[in-house]
Amino acid sequence: MVITLIILALSAFFFVNGKIRSDVVALCALVLLILCGILTPEEALSGFSNSIVIMMVGLFVVGGAIFQTGLAKMISSKILQLAGKSELKLFILIMLVTSAIGAFVSNTGTVALMLPIVVSMAVSANVSPSRFLMPLAFASSMGGMATLIGTPPNLVIQNALLEGGFEGLSFFSFTPVGIICVLIGIVVLIPLSRMFLVKKGEKKTENKSRKKSLKDLAYEYQIAQNLFRVGVKSDSTFRGKTLAELNITGEYNVTILEIRRESKSQNPFMKTIDQELAGPNTSLQIGDVLYVLGAFAQIELLTKDNNLDLLDTHTAEVSEEKVPHDMVFGEIGIAEVLLMPNSQLINRAVKDSGFREKYNINILGIQRGGKYLLQDLKDEKMHSGDALLVQGTWKDIARLNEVQSEWVVVGQPLAEAAKVTLDHKAPIAATIMILMIIAMVFDFIPVAPVAAVIVAALLMVLTGCLRNVEDAYKTINWESIVLIAAMLPMSLALEKTGASAMISSGLVSYLGDFGPIILLAGIYFTTSLLTMFISNTATAVLLAPIALKAALDIGVSPYPFLFAVTVAASMCFASPFSTPPNALVMSAGKYTFMDYVKVGLPLQVIMGIVMVLVLPLLFPF
């Protein structure tokens, strides 16, 4: 038992530390349990064949198909348009729509879907997006409480009940709890978001009838102050060479964004300028005007070394007001891209991102924790939650939306972000999802829930709701799957060595004499505290058997205790790192850690107090 607890403590330490991926930590703990003889190899690997894990794989695929067909995006944007220009209506609708989608698909996917829509709607209503983005993340977690498949902890307590010999929960057993969570969230967040999430500088913007434009985005990242025009002269060393041959970024640490040259049109009455994205195979000609991004000193060196004509002489220190507002966005534009928590780009250098090679897109800047990184970008490693300012043709920027598992495009121009196209496969995806839910809800249909999910996932692929099998695999968050599969045997090890019994008896001996309500509160707030440092799924896996045993020890129903575990594990708002949705909106909303404490901690405490009082009414002792 001591060895098991040491392994658990070490796992918790590395989970909190965050320097090693959580799935790797869980696998290391699993291997140690085998090597120490606590679990047999069969017991240790049982998590990978557990119905919870298989069901989660299928649900990721089903959710991915719902996103890719445009079904969820169409429904959500149409409903949000009902809010018009009313800030309060928009706030309530965002909470309701997000929680409704979160009831059926992963909370991370829900936030990824809603982010660009909400940003667009907020700016259209002349409201700071930061007012809505944190509540958006919280609502996705609240909505997950409404159904059996809404969040992994719900599946965890279902598994604990079935293994304990109790009757399982139905698909909508969670719905009353989810509704209460959403109502509490709306009531508490309306004043808190108004007090703490609208920054002082942004309140002035709300009062002005202006929308965030592409120029605003450029000035936010200080692109205008560091953008220079350079002309190619007849005797320049650049003449006739491609950008790949010149290796300008490597030599001078500057970026050529685009090339403008006189049009080859034969129309004598109309002289126009062609706007061309700077690609590696672009060959430079006499008279080309290069738009170069970089420090003024580096631009000067570039022009002197290569006999180029410097057309702009403003320095980076020039005030924003004195910089001419002549940035023109035609076919080439800029957008903001937010990295997902499980993106393959995390810890990869900008030069190795593949944006230029795969999408013909340039990375111009990185926003991280309220700071803007604009120089020496090529060797800068990208972090989870980074916002990237990218440049490319609108067609290429639109292609970025195809990879929703890697990033979210949140800073497109309003007209582009508001566009919603309904794919012809959307009705098929909707039908498959509805049939899956029906099969899971009604007991007279002789199909096990896990089978219903797998069949639905297969149908999504076979009917073309996902382009191919590779796309289906990309929708799966493998880190979460491996984490759960590796942590499930940990609860078996705790039970097998008597550690669970010792912890639950300790809880009972300290709190049991005060009655089941106090014990329920102890389990709820213990889970809530742990979830601030460890993933909600891992916390639920560890505490579900302890809660079950504690309830049986005092002779009451385990249902309210297990619901306390799943609600507490899912309703963690006081930290940006407690859930992926919280981290996902941090950069987009320009939040600090203290913003989460100011808004999330009161909500988390109020939610806990209400749930401790309400759960015994819904599920009597």
Side-chain angles (χ1 to χ4, degrees):
M1 182 172 70
V2 174
I3 295 173
T4 304
L5 291 174
I6 290 172
I7 293 171
L8 178 61
L10 286 172
S11 301
F13 171 78
F14 285 110
F15 281 141
V16 174
N17 183 264
K19 290 186 177 178
I20 303 175
R21 280 173 47 133
S22 56
D23 52 343
V24 175
V25 173
L27 284 172
C28 290
L30 196 63
V31 170
L32 285 173
L33 290 172
I34 298 173
L35 294 177
C36 294
I38 297 165
L39 293 178
T40 65
E42 291 76 18
E43 288 172 332
L45 297 174
S46 62
F48 290 90
S49 61
N50 192 286
S51 60
I52 293 179
V53 176
I54 305 302
M55 192 181 291
M56 280 194 64
V57 170
L59 289 171
F60 274 122
V61 175
V62 172
I66 296 297
F67 293 143
Q68 286 202 17
T69 56
L71 176 67
K73 191 173 184 181
M74 181 205 69
I75 295 170
S76 57
S77 63
K78 292 295 182 188
I79 294 173
L80 288 177
Q81 285 173 5
L82 297 173
K85 299 292 182 181
S86 168
E87 183 181 341
L88 181 61
K89 271 189 190 178
L90 185 58
F91 184 93
I92 293 172
L93 280 171
I94 286 171
M95 294 285 290
L96 292 176
V97 173
T98 305
S99 56
I101 296 172
F104 299 98
V105 293
S106 76
N107 54 7
T108 307
T110 301
V111 172
L113 167 80
M114 295 292 291
L115 248 171
I117 300 172
V118 169
V119 169
S120 174
M121 294 290 176
V123 177
S124 296
N126 295 316
V127 183
S128 167
S130 61
R131 169 85 198 277
F132 301 124
L133 293 182
M134 192 184 293
L136 166 72
F138 294 170
S140 70
S141 298
M142 295 171 195
M145 288 308 308
T147 64
L148 175 65
I149 64 172
T151 185
N154 290 1
L155 294 170
V156 169
I157 68 162
Q158 166 82 326
N159 187 65
L161 284 167
L162 292 174
E163 288 187 350
F166 293 89
E167 185 181 347
L169 300 162
S170 70
F171 190 86
F172 291 112
S173 294
F174 297 82
T175 305
V177 179
I179 291 171
I180 292 169
C181 287
V182 173
L183 290 176
I184 294 168
I186 292 173
V187 171
V188 174
L189 286 174
I190 285 174
L192 286 179
S193 63
R194 187 69 190 173
M195 285 189 287
F196 299 116
L197 296 185
V198 180
K199 316 296 182 188
K200 289 180 181 178
E202 293 174 335
K203 286 180 181 176
K204 295 177 184 176
T205 305
E206 288 185 40
N207 297 328
K208 295 178 183 178
S209 179
R210 75 188 268 277
K211 298 178 181 179
K212 188 175 181 180
S213 67
L214 292 174
K215 288 184 180 179
D216 295 328
L217 193 59
Y219 284 108
E220 182 183 322
Y221 278 83
Q222 302 168 34
I223 298 303
Q225 291 95 318
N226 295 281
L227 185 64
F228 301 83
R229 293 180 302 147
V230 172
V232 178
K233 298 194 288 190
S234 58
D235 55 350
S236 171
T237 56
F238 277 19
R239 179 186 173 187
K241 292 186 179 178
T242 65
L243 296 182
E245 292 172 332
L246 294 169
N247 188 27
I248 296 167
T249 302
E251 291 288 333
Y252 297 97
N253 199 26
V254 297
T255 304
I256 294 186
L257 302 184
E258 65 179 74
I259 300 162
R260 297 189 186 176
R261 59 176 57 138
E262 192 172 316
S263 176
K264 294 178 182 177
S265 172
Q266 299 299 312
N267 189 338
F269 301 103
M270 187 180 294
K271 276 195 172 184
T272 58
I273 299 295
D274 285 338
Q275 190 181 20
E276 183 178 338
L277 189 70
N281 298 317
T282 303
S283 182
L284 301 181
Q285 303 172 10
I286 299 172
D288 281 353
V289 176
L290 314 180
Y291 279 67
V292 189
L293 184 69
F296 182 67
Q298 293 300 112
I299 303 292
E300 271 196 317
L301 185 62
L302 170 74
T303 54
K304 286 177 182 176
D305 287 354
N306 299 282
N307 201 21
L308 297 167
D309 190 10
L310 181 59
L311 305 176
D312 296 307
T313 56
H314 67 266
T315 65
E317 288 75 27
V318 173
S319 66
E320 192 173 295
E321 290 77 14
K322 293 181 181 177
V323 177
H325 288 236
D326 61 352
M327 297 191 69
V328 178
F329 297 98
E331 292 183 6
I332 297 172
I334 55 177
E336 207 168 22
V337 173
L338 191 66
L339 294 185
M340 293 282 276
N342 60 325
S343 173
Q344 294 181 7
L345 294 180
I346 292 171
N347 293 325
R348 190 177 291 183
V350 167
K351 65 182 179 184
D352 300 324
S353 66
F355 268 67
R356 175 72 72 89
E357 294 78 13
K358 293 179 185 176
Y359 301 99
N360 204 26
I361 293 285
N362 295 315
I363 298 176
L364 308 185
I366 299 174
Q367 183 210 137
R368 179 182 300 154
K371 296 180 180 178
Y372 295 87
L373 308 178
L374 303 166
Q375 308 295 340
D376 302 320
L377 276 186
K378 62 185 175 70
D379 295 316
E380 183 67 39
K381 288 190 176 180
M382 291 171 281
H383 298 172
S384 176
D386 277 357
L388 313 178
L389 184 72
V390 299
Q391 183 220 30
T393 65
W394 293 124
K395 185 177 179 181
D396 287 330
I397 289 172
R399 286 173 57 216
L400 294 177
N401 285 310
E402 297 173 3
V403 194
Q404 292 182 342
S405 59
E406 295 288 319
W407 49 71
V408 183
V409 182
V410 293
Q412 289 172 279
L414 301 180
E416 295 292 323
K419 283 181 185 174
V420 180
T421 55
L422 177 61
D423 192 275
H424 65 284
K425 295 288 184 181
I428 299 173
T431 304
I432 292 170
M433 189 182 78
I434 291 168
L435 290 174
M436 178 192 81
I437 293 170
I438 290 171
M440 296 179 76
V441 169
F442 295 107
D443 293 333
F444 64 82
I445 299 175
V447 179
V450 65
V453 172
I454 294 302
V455 170
L458 281 171
L459 286 175
M460 290 293 189
V461 176
L462 295 174
T463 56
C465 293
L466 289 158
R467 294 180 187 84
N468 48 48
V469 179
E470 285 72 24
D471 269 9
Y473 283 127
K474 286 177 183 176
T475 64
I476 301 168
N477 185 334
W478 290 108
E479 183 176 352
S480 297
I481 297 298
V482 172
L483 172 65
I484 296 170
M487 286 303 294
L488 282 171
M490 174 65 80
S491 63
L492 175 63
L494 290 171
E495 193 174 336
K496 192 175 177 182
T497 57
S500 287
M502 184 192 75
I503 296 169
S504 61
S505 63
L507 279 170
V508 170
S509 63
Y510 281 110
L511 302 175
D513 292 340
F514 297 100
I517 285 280
I518 300 301
L519 180 59
L520 183 71
I523 287 172
Y524 186 100
F525 287 105
T526 299
T527 307
S528 186
L529 184 64
L530 273 177
T531 308
M532 291 177 67
F533 307 104
I534 305 174
S535 95
N536 60 351
T537 306
T539 304
V541 168
L542 292 174
L543 285 175
I546 293 170
L548 180 71
K549 183 79 169 58
L552 296 178
D553 285 349
I554 63 169
V556 296
S557 169
Y559 287 89
F561 289 84
L562 286 170
F563 267 93
V565 169
T566 189
V567 176
S570 301
M571 302 296 103
C572 191
F573 310 122
S575 164
F577 311 113
S578 55
T579 63
N582 289 6
L584 190 56
V585 300
M586 191 175 185
S587 286
K590 298 182 176 63
Y591 301 127
T592 63
F593 188 93
M594 283 308 297
D595 288 331
Y596 286 86
V597 175
K598 290 174 186 175
V599 177
L601 187 58
L603 176 61
Q604 193 167 325
V605 173
I606 292 168
M607 189 79 75
I609 293 169
V610 173
M611 281 298 153
V612 168
L613 298 174
V614 167
L615 286 176
L617 300 178
L618 297 174
F619 308 96
F621 292 123

